[in-house]
Structures are given as structure tokens and as C-alpha cells.
Amino acid sequence: MTRAPQVPTGRALLNKVPEVTVFFWIIKVLATTVGETAADFLADNVGLGLGGTTVVMTAVFLAVLVWQFRTRRYIPAVYWLTVVLISVVGTLLTDNLTDALGVPLGVSTVVFSVALAVTFAVWFRFEHTLSIHSIVTFRREAFYWLAVLMTFALGTAVGDLVDEQFGVGYWATALIVALLIAAVAVSHLVFRANAVLTFWIAYVLTRPLGASLGDGLSQPREDGGLGLGTTWTSFVFLVAIVAIVAYLTVSGRDRTEARGEVAA
């Protein structure tokens, strides 16, 4: 028998994570694309380099993460700003291992796979659920963001491994990942595969999808891209994110009801 999630009784809290709608997945892919292109823009165009970009973006991310933790409910602008920044930091985490420390992408993939599995195991050990519909306590939210960080780092390593080392190419990689995501969706919607499992698999896969799209748009034509550059690609995708988040803020389409309680 499955053990029911244990949430202390008392003052009700709103879920800190949005409802998983089509808007959720659109913004997620856009955010992962920005994570790839913005890191390259700051390192190369602005001239911060890998180390400087890592320091600056990590500091900004931690400041916004504190803001997110201090909110009492899901606020679209704060939540999605945190996602955009964690996508950049997750990308930089893998890039530092690969470019600065010389860790092979295959090793990084294994390391982050294990790290994500351990995160899920500890999360479930303490909370008895991995559902994002019950992020109503500080500890659950901490586990959630740690898992999200690991998915971005893992997705970056997997995407770069397939894209660069295996020579598949940006657009072919994006197509392959899109087909895998579609298969995961069908497994849940048609064959009733576990919702939590399929969600996190899709969440990991959207990272290489967004990164491949970002590289395909921004990289030079001689390298297989469209040559739009990281500046324009980052700008266009950020504008799209802002527009959708503004719509969700006004409409409230992705807000969830209270799913749990905490002690007063």
C-alpha cells in the first residue's frame, strides 16, 4: 500500500509551483533556450568569461531564490525568473566541469544522473512524495529547486553529449528529443504511466530540447545554425517569456489551490 504524503496540520498554504499546463511547458522550453544562449552571451559577447559569468549569475540566482522562498504563494514573475536563472546556473555547472576542469561529458552525465536520483531518493524519504502539487513547505520547496538544478545540469550534459560528441547536430538533436517527449506524453495520457515519473522525465528532456533550439538559432551557419547570434536569440525568447508570464499573472490560468497545511 502506498503511504499517503504526510503534511503537518494547521495553517493552509498555497502551492508554490504553477499548475502544469501547456503554458508551463512552453515557458520551460523558452527558459532552457535562454539558459543556453544567455550564458554564451555573457561569457563571449560581454566578455565575462566562464568564471566571471558563473560568479555573477550564481549571485543573482541566489538572491532571486531567496525572494522566491520568501513568497507565500506562487507568483508567476518571481517563479519564472527563478527558473530562467537556474537554467543559466545549471548550464554553467556543466560547462565548468567540461571546459574548466576537463571532465568528459559522459562522466558529467553519469554524475548528474546519480545526483538527481539521490535528490529524489532523499526527497521521497523525508516527504513520501515527489509530486509538485504539494510544494507547500520550505523543505519541499528546497528539494524541488535542488531537483530542478540537477535536471538542468543533467540536460545540458546529455544534450552536449549527443549534439557535439556524437555529431548528431542541433536540429536533429532537437527532433530526437521532441519525439522522446511526445512518447513520454503518450505513455502518460494514453497508457496511464505514473504522472510524477513522466513529469520529471519530460522535465529533464526539455533541457536538451531548448538548448538545441537555442544553439540551432544562434550558432553560425557554417556550424549548422541559423546565425542569429546569442544576443537576438536571448532577446526574442526573453520577450516571449515576459509576454506569457504577464498573461498568466493577469489571467491566473496556472494558479493552484491549497494542497496542504503547515503548523501555525
Side-chain angles (χ1 to χ4, degrees):
M1 179 180 296
T2 303
R3 185 175 179 180
Q6 299 297 311
V7 182
T9 59
R11 180 168 53 87
L13 282 184
L14 293 175
N15 193 27
K16 297 288 293 292
V17 177
E19 192 67 57
V20 180
T21 65
V22 65
F23 298 108
F24 179 96
W25 293 113
I26 291 174
I27 302 176
K28 173 60 167 60
V29 173
L30 293 173
T32 59
T33 303
V34 171
E36 182 75 13
T37 59
D40 292 341
F41 171 77
L42 292 172
D44 301 330
N45 297 51
V46 178
L48 292 179
L50 181 59
T53 301
T54 302
V55 171
V56 170
M57 294 310 300
T58 300
V60 174
F61 162 66
L62 291 175
V64 174
L65 183 63
V66 170
W67 186 13
Q68 164 65 23
F69 271 111
R70 289 176 66 86
T71 62
R72 291 184 175 274
R73 60 182 176 83
Y74 163 65
I75 300 175
V78 180
Y79 174 86
W80 287 111
L81 178 59
T82 307
V83 172
V84 170
L85 291 172
I86 204 172
S87 73
V88 177
V89 173
T91 297
L92 291 169
L93 187 59
T94 300
D95 288 347
N96 273 280
L97 287 177
T98 303
D99 300 334
L101 300 179
V103 177
L105 286 169
V107 175
S108 297
T109 299
V110 173
V111 168
F112 289 126
S113 295
V114 172
L116 181 59
V118 170
T119 299
F120 283 146
V122 177
W123 181 357
F124 190 81
R125 170 64 179 81
F126 281 99
E127 302 296 336
H128 311 293
T129 179
L130 301 178
S131 173
I132 68 165
H133 297 301
S134 59
I135 307 301
V136 295
T137 66
F138 179 90
R139 188 167 68 183
R140 288 188 181 184
E141 189 173 10
F143 280 127
Y144 172 78
W145 288 115
L146 179 59
V148 169
L149 177 62
M150 291 299 103
T151 64
F152 276 111
L154 174 59
T156 301
V158 172
D160 289 348
L161 181 66
V162 174
D163 198 19
E164 297 173 11
Q165 289 201 359
F166 294 166
V168 176
Y170 305 130
W171 301 111
T173 299
L175 177 60
I176 292 171
V177 176
L179 291 174
L180 289 174
I181 293 173
V184 172
V186 169
S187 72
H188 171 59
L189 298 175
V190 178
F191 299 104
R192 305 302 180 189
N194 182 270
V196 174
L197 176 62
T198 53
F199 169 83
W200 284 111
I201 293 175
Y203 203 93
V204 172
L205 289 174
T206 52
R207 178 59 184 82
L209 173 62
S212 298
L213 291 174
D215 285 337
L217 292 170
S218 64
Q219 295 305 309
R221 293 181 181 275
E222 55 269 24
D223 294 333
L226 295 183
L228 298 181
T230 55
T231 303
W232 276 107
T233 303
S234 299
F235 175 76
V236 170
F237 278 70
L238 279 173
V239 168
I241 292 173
V242 170
I244 299 174
V245 170
Y247 167 73
L248 294 175
T249 300
V250 173
S251 67
R253 289 282 300 274
D254 62 341
R255 289 183 190 146
T256 59
E257 298 178 354
R259 301 292 181 91
E261 298 178 331
V262 295

